[in-house]
Amino acid sequence: MATTLFFLLFFTPFLNSAAAPNHNAPQDLVRSSCINASYPSLCLRTLSSYSGPTGTPRDLAQAAVKVGLACARKASTYLKTSVTGKSERERAALSDCVEQMAESVDELSKTLSELKHLRGETFEFQMSNARTWVSAALSYEDTCVDGFEGVDRKVKGDVKKKITNVAMVTSNALYMIRRLDESGGLNR
């Protein structure tokens, strides 16, 4: 009887804490995943405030791509509606950039679709596709900014600020895809 009482008094607190769900687990995964991202503070800020699931590497990769896609769409809308080129050179750069951002949005959309339909037998192929498409999106974003060389500083600065933010978020998405790939899709 004394042994049973001792057991209950001593071990019950440990059993309860072990059985209790860890509600901080998704936030812990976000923190531990963002530490080595290209832009850790941006990663932490965007994924910590993400309203969808972030409890597995697959969830995080999808969330990061969704954030990148939303930013790319917002930047694309901004370019179409808020920036006007005064010179022929500015208008041409802007037109090219709008096209490149549309391509970036397309690449990120394909990536998100691929991540939503991962299968064990084609996992490596699908991850290769996702990495390729996000890398292409980054290239489009970089090319957009490069196209503004030699144009008005204000126009270039406005565009560069928006597109650089998209590229940083997209770079973090690529990092999360690589992490998912390295995990072998565990806890998919």
Side-chain angles (χ1 to χ4, degrees):
M1 176 78 172
T3 306
T4 305
L5 183 58
F6 171 76
F7 178 83
L8 288 174
L9 290 174
F10 184 75
F11 288 108
T12 300
F14 297 108
L15 293 174
N16 286 339
S17 65
N22 182 358
H23 296 292
N24 291 330
Q27 288 303 316
D28 292 346
L29 182 60
V30 169
R31 272 196 265 336
S32 66
S33 297
C34 286
I35 288 172
N36 294 311
S38 303
Y39 304 95
S41 59
L42 179 63
C43 178
L44 190 58
R45 188 173 69 248
T46 57
L47 294 181
S48 292
S49 62
Y50 180 73
S51 61
T54 57
T56 67
R58 181 178 178 174
D59 291 340
L60 279 180
Q62 287 183 23
V65 172
K66 285 178 184 178
V67 168
L69 185 55
C71 286
R73 285 180 174 147
K74 187 176 178 181
S76 183
T77 299
Y78 171 79
L79 292 171
K80 290 176 190 174
T81 61
S82 301
V83 180
T84 56
K86 295 175 187 143
S87 70
E88 184 64 33
R89 173 75 184 96
E90 287 174 7
R91 286 190 295 274
L94 188 58
S95 176
D96 289 348
C97 190
V98 166
E99 244 178 73
Q100 290 155 350
M101 289 308 297
E103 293 293 333
S104 181
V105 165
D106 184 53
E107 299 293 343
L108 292 171
S109 295
K110 289 190 302 191
T111 302
L112 184 58
S113 179
E114 194 79 344
L115 291 176
K116 287 180 175 179
H117 300 98
L118 294 176
R119 294 179 308 282
E121 65 276 2
T122 58
F123 180 78
E124 287 181 30
F125 177 71
Q126 290 175 293
M127 294 309 297
S128 175
N129 286 342
R131 285 190 315 275
T132 299
W133 294 331
V134 174
S135 294
L138 275 169
S139 292
Y140 286 122
E141 294 157 10
D142 288 343
T143 302
C144 168
V145 172
D146 291 345
F148 283 86
E149 289 300 319
V151 301
D152 179 72
R153 284 190 315 184
K154 181 177 178 351
V155 173
K156 180 181 176 180
D158 289 349
V159 171
K160 186 175 182 177
K161 182 178 176 185
K162 291 283 185 191
I163 304 305
T164 299
N165 184 59
V166 175
M168 290 166 59
V169 171
T170 303
S171 180
N172 283 342
L174 181 57
Y175 172 75
M176 289 300 170
I177 288 167
R178 287 184 178 141
R179 274 185 61 95
L180 173 61
D181 193 15
E182 290 167 4
S183 77
L186 299 175
N187 300 318
R188 294 185 267 190

